[in-house]
Amino acid sequence: MATEVKGAPVSAETPKRRRRGRFRSSLAALWRGSAGWPWRDLCVAFALWFCVPAAAVYTAFSLTLAPEVRAMLVTDNHLAGLRRSYWLASSAAAGAGALFVWAIALLLRRRRETLRAAVWSGTILSPLLVAPFVVALWDWRAFEGRPVLVLTAVLIVGLLFARAVAASYLQAIERPPSWLVGLRESARRLPRWLPPLLLVVMVLGFGAYMAVFGLINHYRLQTTSYDLAIFDNMVWRLARGHWFSSTPAFGRIGGNHIQRHATFAAYLFVPFYMLRQNADTLIVLQAFVTGATMIPLYLLARRHLGSPWQAVAICACFGLYAPMHGPLFYDFHFLTLSPFFVVWTIYLFESGSTAGLIAVGTIAMLTREDISPGLAMMALGYLLGGKRPRAAVLGGAIAGVYFVLVKFVVMPHSGPHGETATFVDMYSDLAPSGEFTLGGVLRTLLTSPLFALNTMLKAEKLAYVLQVAVPVLFLPFRHRRTWLPFISAAMLTVVASNEHASEIFFQYTAHWTPYVFAGAVIALGAWRKSGLEGRARAAGALAGVCLASVLASYHAGALFQHHTFRGGFRPVQFEWTRADAAQLADFRALSKQIPKNASVVATESEVPQLSARSDAYTMRIGVDNADYILVRVDDIRGEGANRKNLLDSLRTRAYGFVERRGPYALWKRGGDHTKDALGLQLIGAPSLY
């Protein structure tokens, strides 16, 4: 129906036409920018709302693939073309659908409020963008033998996640969602004792887990004379007044272990060892003392971060730290225990406890001689930062002087081996020709630094640095002073020519562990003090560290999967089988025939089971006229020092064959010779006499 208004026909306006008119006017305003349209926010909102749903669908599709197919996508790029196209198309369709919905909403509603809602919600959900990468990385088959690849990917994913969480944190602070407000209120009502309780559970759980499987590894006879039997015999003899002698290392003369390592703190563990005088006591002590490092770390993190929950998160990352797991399954070493005392030293320094600092700092230095350089460099960092300068100068000087005196005066004069006590062989590639001394190594570093750098630029050492630093996203290296202790750590590991010094399966990672986590805590605390942006950065970094720690631990640690884990030289098996039980029963049946006060010589993996006595010798070093010889037959049949030393002893006819049980055989000095032919046939030497 038409009406006349001032001579012009006008159609009646319907609701449909009114909506169409508003839509056209919105488009016109958007095109002209007359309303001051925030183009940056529009691009951010559209990008997020395309990528987040696409990432969710992409992740869901990835989870439908069989593990071997996901692995082949990394190793062989193998996936049917049609399936790959459907995968990408479905992800893109999800993103386009979400984008279309928001575009319509922006055009039909009040633009600014709707745009803010789009940016806010998209940013809140932005951490989900890393989900496809997390799924891809959660597969040990795809990355086995590719540490640089997996760690580089974990580093990138962790940094992206940290940035997304930081942005999400800022949006949540500006416009907190109702569920977050409720969560905060619930958190405030939680009892204060809950975080410390969780800490205790983590410490005990970590210690129990590592102790149980460490004992399984030991009872499977996978530990060795070098080093578990050495330390077991040394502590056994310390408890009886002998000064750091160890027969598995030096034979009947006993030697002096100080010429190898100054582990004076061993006396602290003698009372615990006396409760059960056996090598397995050292394995249990090592597991629980390492886990107890979370206690000073928690106190340090709570001091810097101001939140007990964030401190618990840092401690959880410490428990996941793969470079700490391998050493726990490589026999026993006092160096592996050192992070406990080092982190306590750092905390007591920061808390201002002079008496505690002196006591624990002294114990840390006495744990092993090469702990002192790291403490000295940490003191230098505090001095440069102006924190307790007098204590920093005094402590750093004491640590430096102690190292020089012990390493270059006490140790070389503690045994007959002289210069070998300084471990120059650890730096053999850096020693000048004809100058095989630590002084020569130092001169190489000062006069030929590029040559020294060339010896370090190896893929294995790059992988080692990534394994150490990626779980904390290189946080200690991103602070002005917390990287200083890593100079000492690098000198003792990465610079060393010994390949095992830069592998996470050995005890040398303890030079890094305490400073990696203390440095990460200090860096997070410094960011947190720099306003709202800093708090968001710290929160994001902590979230990134948690994610990176989980992913890195999955590939190299002992908790999530056991297919790729190693401790020392060997892969570690976590199962206890009937064959293992039978092997242990056979060994114990023979070892029970050896009196406790008798001397015994055994092959490498058998000595730790027998070393809690005055005289226990290692077959590859020499028989030393031991009262009993107990060997694993397979270790004797091949060529080498084991076979030579056994045959030389049997030629004297001083030993009579006693019995064979399973893979083991026993001879007794002065024993009956009626079974000697059987024993010689057993080791493949029937015509020895």
Side-chain angles (χ1 to χ4, degrees):
M1 177 178 179
T3 58
E4 288 286 335
V5 179
K6 295 185 179 180
V10 178
S11 300
E13 190 175 38
T14 64
K16 183 177 181 180
R17 290 180 177 177
R18 284 197 298 272
R19 288 195 298 271
R20 188 180 300 169
R22 286 198 299 270
F23 182 78
R24 290 173 178 172
S25 63
S26 297
L27 285 176
L30 180 63
W31 177 259
R32 293 193 304 270
S34 59
W37 187 267
W39 290 99
R40 176 182 176 278
D41 290 348
L42 179 67
C43 293
V44 169
F46 277 21
L48 288 172
W49 276 106
F50 177 83
C51 293
V52 170
V57 173
Y58 189 99
T59 303
F61 191 94
S62 299
L63 292 173
T64 65
L65 300 175
E68 57 272 15
V69 175
R70 289 202 299 269
M72 285 190 293
L73 285 173
V74 177
T75 58
D76 300 323
N77 193 28
H78 177 77
L79 189 67
L82 182 61
R83 198 173 189 185
R84 193 188 299 266
S85 299
Y86 176 74
W87 188 1
L88 295 174
S90 59
S91 302
L99 198 63
F100 178 76
V101 171
W102 277 107
I104 296 299
L106 286 171
L107 291 172
L108 294 181
R109 299 184 178 183
R110 291 174 294 179
R111 296 191 301 269
R112 290 185 182 276
E113 291 183 7
T114 307
L115 180 58
R116 289 193 192 101
V119 172
W120 178 85
S121 55
T123 306
I124 290 290
L125 296 175
S126 62
L128 296 176
L129 292 172
V130 303
F133 305 101
V134 173
V135 172
L137 287 168
W138 199 263
D139 193 333
W140 63 270
R141 300 173 187 82
F143 298 95
E144 187 176 11
R146 297 177 173 86
V148 174
L149 172 62
V150 68
L151 289 165
T152 302
V154 169
L155 177 62
I156 294 171
V157 170
L159 292 173
L160 291 175
F161 187 68
R163 183 66 186 90
V165 171
S168 181
Y169 179 92
L170 287 173
Q171 291 289 344
I173 291 296
E174 181 181 350
R175 293 177 58 191
S178 57
W179 61 267
L180 181 59
V181 174
L183 185 62
R184 286 178 181 172
E185 293 299 324
S186 299
R188 291 192 183 100
R189 291 193 294 268
L190 291 174
R192 292 186 177 182
W193 49 261
L194 187 56
L197 177 62
L198 290 176
L199 174 68
V200 171
V201 171
M202 287 194 300
V203 169
L204 296 178
F206 178 90
Y209 182 92
M210 295 299 177
V212 167
F213 289 110
L215 291 175
I216 288 176
N217 189 55
H218 176 58
Y219 295 145
R220 292 186 66 250
L221 282 82
Q222 295 297 297
T223 51
T224 59
S225 173
Y226 202 97
D227 295 309
L228 180 58
I230 291 175
F231 288 113
D232 180 44
N233 183 259
M234 186 186 79
V235 177
W236 190 94
R237 293 170 71 91
L238 279 176
R240 287 156 179 80
H242 299 279
W243 176 255
F244 289 96
S245 57
S246 179
T247 56
F250 302 104
R252 187 173 291 276
I253 62 172
N256 189 338
H257 193 263
I258 299 301
Q259 73 185 73
R260 294 189 172 182
H261 288 298
T263 56
F264 298 114
Y267 276 110
L268 289 176
F269 298 92
V270 170
F272 300 98
Y273 183 83
M274 293 298 291
L275 298 175
R276 175 178 167 81
Q277 300 176 46
N278 204 303
D280 50 20
T281 301
L282 297 181
I283 293 173
V284 173
L285 282 173
Q286 182 172 249
F288 278 97
V289 170
T290 301
T293 308
M294 297 183 202
I295 297 172
L297 182 62
Y298 171 84
L299 297 174
L300 183 69
R302 190 178 63 179
R303 181 180 183 86
H304 279 273
L305 304 181
S307 167
W309 293 105
Q310 292 185 17
V312 168
I314 286 288
C315 292
C317 294
F318 177 87
L320 294 173
Y321 194 54
M324 183 184 60
H325 295 176
L328 292 177
F329 288 85
Y330 176 47
D331 294 350
F332 171 88
H333 300 87
F334 287 100
L335 182 58
T336 305
L337 304 175
S338 63
F340 174 77
F341 301 104
V342 172
V343 178
W344 266 118
T345 302
I346 295 171
Y347 169 72
L348 292 170
F349 180 93
E350 294 216 353
S351 64
S353 174
T354 302
L357 175 63
I358 293 173
V360 179
T362 301
I363 295 173
M365 290 190 296
L366 295 176
T367 304
R368 213 170 95 152
E369 75 286 346
D370 46 5
I371 300 300
S372 303
L375 292 174
M377 297 306 295
M378 194 72 188
L380 177 61
Y382 281 123
L383 176 63
L384 295 177
K387 192 174 186 66
R388 298 188 67 185
R390 293 178 60 183
V393 169
L394 185 59
I398 291 174
V401 170
Y402 177 83
F403 175 73
V404 172
L405 288 178
V406 172
K407 189 71 173 178
F408 299 102
V409 179
V410 175
M411 291 174 60
H413 293 85
S414 294
H417 300 290
E419 193 63 42
T420 59
T422 58
F423 281 84
V424 184
D425 56 309
M426 292 282 288
Y427 302 93
S428 57
D429 292 348
L430 298 176
S433 179
E435 196 176 355
F436 200 68
T437 64
L438 282 181
V441 172
L442 182 59
R443 279 187 282 275
T444 297
L445 293 173
L446 294 176
T447 59
S448 304
L450 292 180
F451 174 81
L453 181 63
N454 185 52
T455 65
M456 292 183 281
L457 293 178
K458 299 178 181 178
E460 296 80 6
K461 295 190 176 185
L462 171 61
Y464 179 73
V465 173
L466 291 175
Q467 287 167 325
V468 165
V470 164
V472 293
L473 300 180
F474 282 85
L475 281 179
F477 297 90
R478 296 156 66 183
H479 188 271
R480 289 176 296 174
R481 291 176 293 275
T482 53
W483 56 270
L484 285 170
F486 300 133
I487 297 176
S488 169
M491 288 294 298
L492 295 166
T493 56
V494 178
V495 176
S497 307
N498 184 349
E499 61 178 346
H500 302 310
S502 52
E503 292 181 335
I504 64 169
F505 321 116
F506 297 90
Q507 69 272 22
Y508 306 103
T509 56
H511 290 302
W512 297 82
T513 302
Y515 305 110
V516 163
F517 282 91
V521 166
I522 294 171
L524 290 173
W527 292 347
R528 183 179 173 275
K529 296 174 184 177
S530 58
L532 180 60
E533 293 282 345
R535 291 202 303 274
R537 185 184 183 191
L542 180 57
V545 166
C546 292
L547 178 61
S549 294
V550 170
L551 293 175
S553 185
Y554 169 77
H555 286 279
L559 299 179
F560 295 111
Q561 55 89 11
H562 302 146
H563 302 281
T564 57
F565 179 68
R566 275 181 56 190
F569 298 96
R570 304 172 177 177
V572 177
Q573 295 184 19
F574 289 76
E575 299 82 14
W576 180 256
T577 65
R578 291 184 178 179
D580 296 326
Q583 175 183 254
L584 184 61
D586 290 333
F587 178 85
R588 287 180 171 174
L590 289 183
S591 63
K592 285 180 180 179
Q593 301 181 42
I594 304 174
K596 193 65 177 176
N597 59 352
S599 59
V600 60
V601 61
T603 40
E604 187 72 23
S605 294
E606 287 64 51
V607 186
Q609 311 291 330
L610 304 163
S611 51
R613 64 182 65 235
S614 178
D615 297 296
Y617 311 128
T618 307
M619 179 66 74
R620 59 178 168 78
I621 296 176
V623 175
D624 268 330
N625 294 318
D627 297 326
Y628 288 85
I629 298 175
L630 195 160
V631 301
R632 185 179 183 91
V633 176
D634 290 344
D635 292 346
I636 297 300
R637 285 175 174 164
E639 297 296 328
N642 283 330
R643 183 175 181 82
K644 179 181 181 302
N645 290 333
L646 176 61
L647 295 183
D648 288 346
S649 298
L650 296 183
R651 284 190 184 99
T652 66
R653 297 187 65 83
Y655 292 90
F657 181 69
V658 177
E659 185 181 1
R660 175 188 180 174
R661 284 291 188 97
Y664 304 106
L666 180 67
W667 282 263
K668 179 182 178 181
R669 184 175 181 83
D672 187 2
H673 292 283
T674 57
K675 299 180 182 178
D676 283 0
L678 179 60
L680 293 177
Q681 185 178 5
L682 185 65
I683 62 175
S687 58
L688 180 64
Y689 301 138

